[in-house]
């Protein structure tokens, strides 16, 4: 099987998996897209973990006193 056939097979199997999960579970398209994006990043960075650092900033607005975390990838 050449690379084109392997790619077609992978895409077909991935589509079947997505359609199966959509029919068996109460999962929306945005969740599926987010999971696929995470999988893409895991493949591209060769990791299975979420890796980010956060910086806590002090809120100078007196109306709302919360800290915000900004992830850096």
């Amino acid at each position: 099987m050449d690379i084109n056939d392997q790619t077609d097979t992978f895409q077909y199997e991935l589509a079947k998996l997505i359609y199966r999960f959509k029919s068996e579970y109460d999962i929306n398209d945005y969740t599926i897209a987010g999971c696929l994006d995470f999988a893409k990043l895991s493949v591209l960075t060769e990791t299975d973990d979420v890796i980010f650092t956060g910086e806590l900033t002090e809120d100078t607005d007196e109306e709302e006193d919360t800290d915000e975390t900004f992830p850096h990838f």
Side-chain angles (χ1 to χ4, degrees), residues 40-55:
K40 176 188 76 175
L41 292 173
S42 296
V43 168
L44 293 176
T45 60
E46 298 180 356
T47 183
D48 293 330
D49 298 326
V50 175
I51 301 173
F52 65 91
T53 60
E55 293 179 8

Side-chain angles (χ1 to χ4, degrees), residues 28-46:
N28 62 43
D29 292 342
Y30 296 107
T31 301
I32 292 171
C35 292
L36 291 172
D37 191 48
F38 178 78
K40 176 188 76 175
L41 292 173
S42 296
V43 168
L44 293 176
T45 60
E46 298 180 356

Side-chain angles (χ1 to χ4, degrees), residues 10-28:
F10 178 72
Q11 286 183 309
Y12 176 72
E13 293 297 324
L14 185 58
K16 282 188 351 185
L17 180 66
I18 291 168
Y19 293 130
R20 182 173 66 89
F21 268 78
K22 285 179 73 170
S23 67
E24 291 180 13
Y25 299 98
D26 185 26
I27 190 168
N28 62 43

